[in-house]
Amino acid sequence: MRTVLAGIETEYGLQIAGRGAEEQIQDSQALVQSYLGKRLLVWDYRYESPRRDLRGFVLDHLTVDPEDAKFDSFTPQTNDIRLRADHILSNGARFYNDHGHPEFATPECWSLDALVKHDIAGQFTTLAAGEAYSENAGRQVRLFKNNTDFHGASYGTHESYLVPRSFGFDKLFGALLPVLVARIILVGAGKVGSEKGPNVPYQISQRADFFMEPANAETLFRRPIFNTRDEPHGAIQDW
């Protein structure tokens, strides 16, 4: 079996004492910018297109969650690049603000062992940024490695794989969707409580309350199990 490059991206839940959800985008930006480790403050956006779909078309627009939109209205208009506060770390990881959540994207890895180690390094990076922000702002900071805040908002932990474009969408979707569903039961952490509707003591999935479709390119609303966003971070090639 051919090995493939893979990476994990984790968005961390964020809670800052005395601050509300309407201020979270700016707070997350400030927290990421507080990181003092070795870093390069730059990112190449040339190949990014969030509306390009793996199935061969481009979406007219991306739907915004109505609940998120209420809080986004409080966000001052600013340069999107500055708001993301991109950090490229010495191990090749990316640490940045993603819509109100500190996000750590591991470097591409050839093995599961390396991937787990870099994911753990992301925990220490995020913690160091939170401690620095807390000291500077004089506020208690709490960070959560979860996928939901129990107030109707969800954020992702997602992985990426480098595969030949010749595979095509149908083959990838057919192979991965059963794995993505089954592994929740086999190795998922689950969730205490529910977001809406009658309260339940436990769910096997944190994201089940938010999934709406098997596949699409949306990330903020109509969330899918299989995300079809075609957003390479480099020149598109096949092998």
Side-chain angles (χ1 to χ4, degrees):
M1 180 182 293
R2 176 186 290 176
T3 56
V4 299
L5 283 171
I8 295 177
E9 299 151 67
T10 300
E11 298 175 52
Y12 286 83
L14 175 64
Q15 183 183 63
I16 297 178
R19 303 284 284 178
E22 67 277 2
E23 301 161 309
Q24 189 161 324
I25 293 178
Q26 291 76 36
D27 290 341
S28 176
Q29 175 192 8
L31 185 145
V32 171
Q33 289 174 328
S34 298
Y35 180 69
L36 300 177
K38 292 183 179 180
R39 68 216 190 274
L40 182 65
L41 305 180
V42 66
W43 185 257
D44 187 351
Y45 295 92
R46 285 180 297 171
Y47 299 105
E48 293 194 12
S49 177
R51 293 186 290 109
R52 187 167 55 213
D53 196 292
L54 183 63
R55 292 168 289 186
F57 55 85
V58 178
L59 298 174
D60 293 332
H61 68 280
L62 295 174
T63 308
V64 177
D65 189 316
E67 290 299 316
D68 285 345
K70 295 176 184 178
F71 299 114
D72 289 349
S73 63
F74 293 95
T75 304
Q77 297 299 313
T78 186
N79 184 283
D80 183 59
I81 295 177
R82 194 181 75 178
L83 191 63
R84 287 197 177 191
D86 275 297
H87 291 42
I88 307 302
L89 308 185
S90 57
N91 67 341
R94 181 187 183 191
F95 183 49
Y96 67 109
N97 166 38
D98 185 11
H99 203 76
H101 298 275
E103 179 161 348
F104 183 91
T106 70
E108 297 86 347
C109 299
W110 285 111
S111 70
L112 179 60
D113 181 66
L115 193 58
V116 170
K117 289 178 180 177
H118 281 293
D119 184 50
I120 294 174
Q123 295 178 184
F124 285 105
T125 297
T126 309
L127 178 62
E131 290 174 342
Y133 174 87
S134 178
E135 183 176 347
N136 294 334
R139 296 179 182 274
Q140 182 187 54
V141 175
R142 291 180 175 177
L143 291 156
F144 303 89
K145 198 174 186 182
N146 63 0
N147 299 123
T148 172
D149 68 354
F150 293 96
H151 293 285
S154 179
Y155 30 94
T157 299
H158 39 100
E159 66 262 30
S160 300
Y161 302 95
L162 181 64
V163 296
R165 288 187 167 269
S166 57
F167 276 18
F169 167 74
D170 291 336
K171 186 181 292 186
L172 286 173
F173 182 69
L176 285 178
L177 187 67
V179 175
L180 295 175
V181 173
R183 73 176 184 182
I184 294 173
I185 302 173
L186 296 174
V187 298
K191 170 184 174 179
V192 175
S194 61
E195 294 290 329
K196 50 192 174 183
N199 187 41
V200 295
Y202 179 77
Q203 298 185 79
I204 61 174
S205 169
Q206 293 189 46
R207 294 273 277 182
D209 285 331
F210 301 91
F211 287 143
M212 299 180 70
E213 297 183 11
N216 68 39
E218 301 279 3
T219 58
L220 298 178
F221 195 53
R222 295 175 53 239
R223 292 181 176 93
I225 297 173
F226 184 102
N227 185 266
T228 57
R229 176 179 289 182
D230 186 7
E231 191 177 64
H233 296 290
I236 297 175
Q237 295 180 347
D238 205 344
W239 75 85

